[in-house]
PDB file of all heavy atoms in Angstrom:
ATOM      1  N   THR A  42     -35.060 -93.240 190.253  1.00 83.00           N
ATOM      2  CA  THR A  42     -35.986 -92.834 191.235  1.00 83.00           C
ATOM      3  C   THR A  42     -36.006 -93.899 192.376  1.00 83.00           C
ATOM      4  O   THR A  42     -36.870 -93.826 193.220  1.00 83.00           O
ATOM      5  CB  THR A  42     -37.303 -92.511 190.681  1.00 83.00           C
ATOM      6  OG1 THR A  42     -37.785 -93.635 189.903  1.00 83.00           O
ATOM      7  CG2 THR A  42     -37.345 -91.261 189.856  1.00 83.00           C
ATOM      8  N   PHE A  95     -53.000 -83.141 159.225  1.00 87.00           N
ATOM      9  CA  PHE A  95     -52.565 -83.363 160.571  1.00 87.00           C
ATOM     10  C   PHE A  95     -53.690 -83.273 161.511  1.00 87.00           C
ATOM     11  O   PHE A  95     -54.102 -82.083 161.911  1.00 87.00           O
ATOM     12  CB  PHE A  95     -51.478 -82.348 160.989  1.00 87.00           C
ATOM     13  CG  PHE A  95     -50.999 -82.559 162.288  1.00 87.00           C
ATOM     14  CD1 PHE A  95     -50.532 -83.835 162.827  1.00 87.00           C
ATOM     15  CD2 PHE A  95     -50.792 -81.475 163.186  1.00 87.00           C
ATOM     16  CE1 PHE A  95     -50.174 -83.938 164.122  1.00 87.00           C
ATOM     17  CE2 PHE A  95     -50.338 -81.599 164.461  1.00 87.00           C
ATOM     18  CZ  PHE A  95     -50.010 -82.832 164.872  1.00 87.00           C
ATOM     19  N   SER A 342     -47.153 -94.153 180.072  1.00 85.00           N
ATOM     20  CA  SER A 342     -47.115 -93.080 179.165  1.00 85.00           C
ATOM     21  C   SER A 342     -45.623 -92.561 179.053  1.00 85.00           C
ATOM     22  O   SER A 342     -45.285 -91.914 178.070  1.00 85.00           O
ATOM     23  CB  SER A 342     -48.086 -91.989 179.440  1.00 85.00           C
ATOM     24  OG  SER A 342     -47.968 -91.455 180.713  1.00 85.00           O
ATOM     25  N   LEU A 357     -31.591 -91.881 162.893  1.00 83.00           N
ATOM     26  CA  LEU A 357     -30.439 -92.348 163.696  1.00 83.00           C
ATOM     27  C   LEU A 357     -30.460 -93.763 163.823  1.00 83.00           C
ATOM     28  O   LEU A 357     -29.533 -94.483 163.706  1.00 83.00           O
ATOM     29  CB  LEU A 357     -30.497 -91.530 165.044  1.00 83.00           C
ATOM     30  CG  LEU A 357     -29.545 -91.965 166.126  1.00 83.00           C
ATOM     31  CD1 LEU A 357     -27.954 -91.476 165.597  1.00 83.00           C
ATOM     32  CD2 LEU A 357     -29.763 -91.237 167.429  1.00 83.00           C
TER      33      LEU A 357
ATOM     34  N   TRP B  88     -30.857 -84.704 163.193  1.00 87.00           N
ATOM     35  CA  TRP B  88     -31.225 -85.954 162.580  1.00 87.00           C
ATOM     36  C   TRP B  88     -32.400 -85.788 161.584  1.00 87.00           C
ATOM     37  O   TRP B  88     -32.913 -86.858 161.203  1.00 87.00           O
ATOM     38  CB  TRP B  88     -31.499 -87.086 163.569  1.00 87.00           C
ATOM     39  CG  TRP B  88     -30.229 -87.490 164.038  1.00 87.00           C
ATOM     40  CD1 TRP B  88     -29.509 -87.276 165.210  1.00 87.00           C
ATOM     41  CD2 TRP B  88     -29.214 -88.415 163.433  1.00 87.00           C
ATOM     42  NE1 TRP B  88     -28.295 -87.811 165.391  1.00 87.00           N
ATOM     43  CE2 TRP B  88     -28.066 -88.500 164.295  1.00 87.00           C
ATOM     44  CE3 TRP B  88     -29.272 -89.073 162.149  1.00 87.00           C
ATOM     45  CZ2 TRP B  88     -26.948 -89.335 163.900  1.00 87.00           C
ATOM     46  CZ3 TRP B  88     -28.096 -89.920 161.821  1.00 87.00           C
ATOM     47  CH2 TRP B  88     -27.095 -89.943 162.742  1.00 87.00           C
ATOM     48  N   ILE B  93     -43.390 -83.174 163.751  1.00 81.00           N
ATOM     49  CA  ILE B  93     -44.679 -83.559 164.503  1.00 81.00           C
ATOM     50  C   ILE B  93     -44.400 -84.650 165.530  1.00 81.00           C
ATOM     51  O   ILE B  93     -44.807 -84.572 166.644  1.00 81.00           O
ATOM     52  CB  ILE B  93     -45.663 -83.873 163.464  1.00 81.00           C
ATOM     53  CG1 ILE B  93     -45.932 -82.732 162.403  1.00 81.00           C
ATOM     54  CG2 ILE B  93     -46.954 -84.189 164.165  1.00 81.00           C
ATOM     55  CD1 ILE B  93     -46.549 -81.562 162.878  1.00 81.00           C
ATOM     56  N   GLY B 105     -46.766 -88.421 181.215  1.00 82.00           N
ATOM     57  CA  GLY B 105     -46.346 -89.464 182.085  1.00 82.00           C
ATOM     58  C   GLY B 105     -45.271 -89.086 183.116  1.00 82.00           C
ATOM     59  O   GLY B 105     -45.455 -89.306 184.282  1.00 82.00           O
ATOM     60  N   TYR B 109     -45.467 -88.976 187.317  1.00 85.00           N
ATOM     61  CA  TYR B 109     -44.520 -89.810 187.971  1.00 85.00           C
ATOM     62  C   TYR B 109     -43.663 -89.042 188.993  1.00 85.00           C
ATOM     63  O   TYR B 109     -43.672 -89.309 190.074  1.00 85.00           O
ATOM     64  CB  TYR B 109     -43.582 -90.556 187.009  1.00 85.00           C
ATOM     65  CG  TYR B 109     -42.636 -91.540 187.487  1.00 85.00           C
ATOM     66  CD1 TYR B 109     -43.049 -92.843 187.385  1.00 85.00           C
ATOM     67  CD2 TYR B 109     -41.473 -91.260 188.178  1.00 85.00           C
ATOM     68  CE1 TYR B 109     -42.223 -93.881 187.904  1.00 85.00           C
ATOM     69  CE2 TYR B 109     -40.718 -92.262 188.637  1.00 85.00           C
ATOM     70  CZ  TYR B 109     -41.015 -93.514 188.570  1.00 85.00           C
ATOM     71  OH  TYR B 109     -40.264 -94.418 189.084  1.00 85.00           O
TER      72      TYR B 109
END
Side-chain angles (χ1 to χ4, degrees):
Chain A
T42 50
F95 182 49
S342 55
L357 178 63
Chain B
W88 283 99
I93 303 289
Y109 189 98

